[in-house]
Amino acid sequence: MHGRWMAAALVAAAVAAPPATAQTIHGTLVEALSGRPLAGGFVVLLDTAGIERGRTLTDDVGAYVLVAPRAGWYRLRTEVIGLRSWTSPLIQIQLGETLEYALDNPAPPVVLAAVVVTGDRVCGGQPDEGAAMAALWEEARKGLMAVRWNEQRRSLKFRIKRYERDLDRRRRRLREDSVVTDAYSLAPFRSIDAQQLASRGYVYRQDGAWWYHAPDAEVIFSEPFLATHCFRAIEGAGDRDGRIGLAFDPVRGRNVPDVSGALWLDRTTAELRELEFGYTSLPFDIPSEHVGGRVGFARLPSGAWIVRDWWIRMPTVGIANQGRPGRNLRRHVLLGYKQDGGEVLGVVTSDGVRPLPQGGAGWL
């Protein structure tokens, strides 16, 4: 039994120094009314046709640096979790110029607390119909894009605990192997091509083993995923009280193993907290309600978003004979589960390891 659960980089964003001869725009992104620096927000460079020509995350003091591909006119769009997106007036930059441009973001906050869950579904396309669905989709997109952005940079080293567990049919632990390492990279899984997942499914047999795939940020935003899933807003309850979810399920008629789940956001801050998912139409006649995974997210003081903890649970399946002698029927039986996962214990600094607190979204 194998799970598609592969490591990659998830670290805090860094502002890279541009080439000396490039056209650069730099400055600080702050909230217009309070003057508060907006850390961990995207600043996007758009040309006059509205095409994206560059993107960066602000650092812990709201600073940003963008490199323009050529001289000309541009706009800057801000994408900050918890605030509506805002686009600046046109800005001209000359050949080889270094332009300082302060961004005083006047965008109002996103108010998820007022979102009313209606049960409406959007299928086969981007869930941007209606104010509630559009707001949930946009804030979830910002969070996942911030995590994906940070995957590509290695400016922080993490202390990470990874584990493998064998569970019985009641999900009681039978065995666990774990290791604690210091590494620059952390990602719970890396999906394969979204079109391949849409056509082949998220669970399949290859080279004598069953492979389980999970949706990462690129897959969730892809056209094949949007075309094969329905989205709806759901209310959090119990441990998720105070959260609102953007749930996804396969469209009707899907006949390959697929995924359903939800992206959970904080109603007050609009911050992405959790991705949960399960599998549908498994190629075994066994219960599937305990098969799936979870990814928890955390915000660092710098504003960078990381995966804080994760797990994926896959079934261990056997074959049993059933029926009278000479007319045996072979069927699948659930023997137990294999669960792989991990968590970030802290960030490694020159002074040692700064631990992440238990609970909450980041350091207090």
Side-chain angles (χ1 to χ4, degrees):
M1 189 73 60
H2 295 278
R4 192 69 172 184
W5 208 250
M6 302 177 63
L10 270 183
V11 294
V15 178
T21 57
Q23 299 77 227
T24 63
I25 305 175
H26 70 96
T28 303
L29 173 62
V30 301
E31 192 175 42
L33 292 179
S34 67
R36 174 177 61 93
L38 296 173
F42 279 111
V43 180
V44 185
L45 184 69
L46 304 175
D47 65 16
T48 53
I51 299 173
E52 182 174 322
R53 297 300 184 183
R55 174 183 290 263
T56 191
L57 274 178
T58 58
D59 65 14
D60 56 346
V61 294
Y64 74 91
V65 177
L66 284 166
V67 179
R70 60 186 62 86
W73 291 88
Y74 297 92
R75 299 180 191 272
L76 298 177
R77 184 177 69 230
T78 63
E79 298 177 359
V80 181
I81 293 173
L83 295 176
R84 296 187 184 277
S85 297
W86 173 77
T87 303
S88 75
L90 280 170
I91 304 166
Q92 185 179 26
I93 185 168
Q94 305 292 338
L95 182 66
E97 181 183 8
T98 298
L99 178 65
E100 182 173 358
Y101 192 87
L103 280 169
D104 296 331
N105 189 349
V110 174
V111 185
L112 294 184
V115 171
V116 177
V117 175
T118 63
D120 294 339
R121 293 163 61 89
V122 175
C123 299
Q126 184 168 313
D128 56 1
E129 298 179 11
M133 293 288 283
L136 286 172
W137 173 253
E138 178 65 11
E139 294 309 302
R141 184 189 68 84
K142 291 177 189 175
L144 286 178
M145 286 189 67
V147 171
R148 183 174 63 178
W149 173 272
N150 291 328
E151 285 182 7
Q152 303 166 359
R153 285 149 180 83
R154 295 172 176 254
S155 61
L156 288 180
K157 180 182 284 189
F158 296 98
R159 180 151 294 176
I160 305 162
K161 176 184 176 182
R162 291 187 171 91
Y163 65 83
E164 294 182 359
R165 294 173 182 166
D166 290 333
L167 310 176
D168 66 12
R169 294 176 59 180
R170 296 184 180 180
R171 305 185 309 284
R172 295 175 298 192
R173 190 181 311 178
L174 301 175
R175 179 197 64 87
E176 176 175 322
D177 293 328
S178 64
V179 61
V180 175
T181 60
D182 294 342
Y184 288 98
S185 63
L186 167 70
F189 55 81
R190 173 62 61 197
S191 294
I192 61 174
D193 178 71
Q195 186 58 61
Q196 184 177 347
L197 290 173
S199 58
R200 189 176 188 178
Y202 286 74
V203 180
Y204 55 79
R205 191 169 179 82
Q206 180 175 300
D207 300 328
W210 288 100
W211 290 86
Y212 289 75
H213 295 264
D216 63 9
E218 289 191 26
V219 167
I220 290 176
F221 296 133
S222 69
E223 289 299 326
F225 190 87
L226 295 175
T228 54
H229 288 81
C230 297
F231 293 84
R232 70 187 191 282
I234 57 176
E235 194 68 65
D239 292 343
R240 297 192 178 97
D241 187 33
R243 298 184 182 181
I244 186 169
L246 181 64
F248 53 87
D249 301 282
V251 296
R252 187 172 300 175
R254 289 280 288 166
N255 57 4
V256 297
D258 211 306
V259 288
S260 63
L263 292 157
W264 290 99
L265 294 89
D266 188 291
R267 269 192 175 272
T268 302
T269 65
E271 294 176 338
L272 180 63
R273 297 298 192 205
E274 180 184 6
L275 163 66
E276 63 163 345
F277 63 92
Y279 293 98
T280 64
S281 303
L282 283 176
F284 323 108
D285 49 348
I286 62 171
S288 61
E289 65 266 27
H290 300 304
V291 181
R294 175 194 177 276
V295 182
F297 303 98
R299 183 181 185 272
L300 299 181
S302 65
W305 281 87
I306 65 168
V307 167
R308 175 173 180 153
D309 55 77
W310 72 93
W311 56 263
I312 183 172
R313 187 184 298 136
M314 302 155 284
T316 305
V317 180
I319 301 293
N321 293 324
Q322 179 178 325
R324 293 178 298 176
R327 298 186 60 184
N328 285 344
L329 299 175
R330 296 168 63 85
R331 65 182 181 87
H332 294 103
V333 292
L334 176 66
L335 303 178
Y337 301 93
K338 175 185 172 71
Q339 181 168 316
D340 294 346
E343 62 177 316
V344 177
L345 302 177
V347 176
V348 180
T349 69
S350 58
D351 300 326
V353 179
R354 184 171 186 181
L356 267 67
Q358 297 299 313
W363 285 305
L364 301 178

